[in-house]
């Protein structure tokens, strides 16, 4: 799972020099997930599914990038810096519980496609409040039945 945000973006102008600063952050978290979906088939080959999904946090990284563009007298100079850091596993809830809702279509008797949305009910980071601190995932799948 990953998320990318523009953490801040500023622009200052003193009449001679214009400075634009942009700070972006990206978080990538890797989980092993086990969905337990109940399927209902309203018509042949099409199904709707719902149920819980249990996940275990494996690892993750945060990446940040800062770019500063300075324009003076029509000449623009841009500098960019970046950093990467492993996520501290002690600050993350290792187990995650979510509820999923999806649908699928059987193209043949062995091959199908599916789409599912899962909303976590567990906080990701132990120290932050729950409303802004849970996983929301959209999954696309290609299925093969043995």
């Amino acid at each position: 799972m990953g998320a990318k945000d523009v953490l801040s973006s500023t622009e200052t102008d003193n009449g001679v020099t214009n400075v634009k600063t942009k700070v972006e952050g990206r978080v990538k978290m890797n989980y092993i997930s086990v969905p337990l979906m109940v399927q209902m088939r309203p018509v042949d080959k099409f199904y709707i599914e719902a149920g819980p999904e249990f996940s275990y946090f494996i690892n993750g990284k945060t990446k940040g990038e800062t770019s500063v563009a300075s324009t003076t007298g029509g000449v623009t100079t841009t500098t960019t810096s970046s950093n990467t850091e492993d996520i501290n596993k002690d600050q993350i809830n290792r187990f995650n519980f979510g509820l999923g809702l999806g649908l699928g279509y059987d193209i043949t008797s062995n091959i199908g496609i599916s789409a599912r949305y899962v909303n976590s009910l567990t906080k990701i980071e132990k120290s932050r409040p729950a409303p802004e601190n849970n996983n929301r995932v959209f999954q696309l799948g290609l299925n093969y039945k043995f």
Side-chain angles (χ1 to χ4, degrees):
M1 290 185 237
K4 185 174 184 177
D5 287 324
V6 174
L7 302 176
S8 68
S9 181
T10 60
E11 183 173 351
T12 58
D13 193 340
N14 66 5
V16 177
T17 303
N18 180 289
V19 178
K20 294 180 182 178
T21 304
K22 184 177 181 182
V23 180
E24 293 182 325
R26 183 178 194 96
V27 177
K28 184 173 183 180
M29 303 178 83
N30 298 309
Y31 288 85
I32 293 177
S33 298
V34 178
L36 299 174
M37 300 291 148
V38 175
Q39 295 181 350
M40 182 183 83
R41 294 186 175 263
V43 294
D44 194 33
K45 295 190 174 194
F46 177 77
Y47 61 87
I48 299 169
E49 63 183 11
E53 181 173 286
F54 303 93
S55 301
Y56 182 76
F57 178 73
I58 302 299
N59 61 25
K61 287 189 180 294
T62 58
K63 295 181 181 179
E65 185 172 288
T66 302
S67 62
V68 178
S70 176
T71 305
T72 304
V75 177
T76 301
T77 305
T78 303
T79 58
T80 303
S81 63
S82 61
N83 66 329
T84 301
E85 187 177 318
D86 288 335
I87 292 176
N88 184 351
K89 290 182 180 182
D90 294 334
Q91 296 176 353
I92 302 295
N93 283 317
R94 299 265 178 111
F95 291 98
N96 187 31
F97 173 75
L99 295 177
L101 183 63
L103 49 92
Y105 180 76
D106 295 327
I107 298 169
T108 68
S109 60
N110 295 73
I111 298 175
I113 55 172
S114 63
R116 180 184 307 137
Y117 175 78
V118 179
N119 190 27
S120 171
L121 302 177
T122 308
K123 295 189 322 181
I124 299 170
E125 196 174 328
K126 294 177 181 177
S127 62
R128 290 178 53 200
E132 62 190 47
N133 188 21
N134 65 347
N135 289 314
R136 292 169 299 279
V137 181
F138 186 72
Q139 302 168 340
L140 296 175
L142 178 63
N143 312 320
Y144 183 78
K145 298 175 190 172
F146 295 97

